[in-house]
Amino acid sequence: MKTITAGRVFVAALIGLATIGAPNFALADIKDYEFQLVEPTIQAGADKVVTVRLVNKKTGKPVPDAVIFASRLDMAPDGMQEMVTKVTPMPGTEPGTYRFKATFSMAGRWQLSLGAKVQGETGTVENKLVVTAQK
Ligand SMILES: [Cu+2]
């Protein structure tokens, strides 16, 4: 009987923790944010536009007004990290999406590395996304 009681107390404590923890979801952590590719593939060639979405994984909502401070596009996934192409930020078409113009001179996998600051959050979002360029 003692064991069962202890077990119940433990479960009650867990429920209590879960309840207390719930409001904290509003206070997002920088790790809750993530860049996602809108389209995983792109046509190889000059001046192609890659669109990414920044989302809060906990709410599923897009995150507008992030400050992108670092971006790099190279062919590291195909063993060509020295094959780097220039990335030019473009105006987004909808809140929470970020667009970049780049020349994909070769078909294959390109890695887009992004660093960003989110309004009201400390730390940085850093993601590496793989875009496949097709002929
Ligand atoms: Cu290459």
Side-chain angles (χ1 to χ4, degrees), residues 17 23 68 77 84 102 106 124:
L17 277 179
I68 313 285
V84 184
M106 184 177 164
T124 60

Side-chain angles (χ1 to χ4, degrees), residues 36-117:
Q36 299 170 346
L37 282 173
V38 171
E39 291 283 340
T41 60
I42 199 157
Q43 199 71 24
D47 296 336
K48 301 299 176 188
V49 176
V50 182
T51 306
V52 300
R53 193 185 288 121
L54 180 60
V55 293
N56 180 325
K57 288 185 277 179
K58 286 205 169 145
T59 63
K61 292 198 173 123
V63 181
D65 305 322
V67 179
I68 313 285
F69 64 88
S71 58
R72 178 186 161 97
L73 189 60
D74 61 47
M75 284 198 83
D78 277 352
M80 288 174 269
Q81 41 274 87
E82 72 288 347
M83 199 165 175
V84 184
T85 193
K86 193 176 157 228
V87 183
T88 308
M90 311 262 294
T93 47
E94 54 185 284
T97 67
Y98 302 84
R99 302 195 307 148
F100 304 93
K101 190 169 74 178
T103 294
F104 293 82
S105 53
M106 184 177 164
R109 289 174 298 163
W110 292 78
Q111 179 170 267
L112 177 61
S113 306
L114 293 172
K117 293 274 184 198

Side-chain angles (χ1 to χ4, degrees), residues 23-47:
N24 288 337
F25 279 76
L27 298 168
D29 188 81
I30 198 72
K31 291 194 168 57
D32 297 336
Y33 298 93
E34 158 183 286
F35 281 105
Q36 299 170 346
L37 282 173
V38 171
E39 291 283 340
T41 60
I42 199 157
Q43 199 71 24
D47 296 336

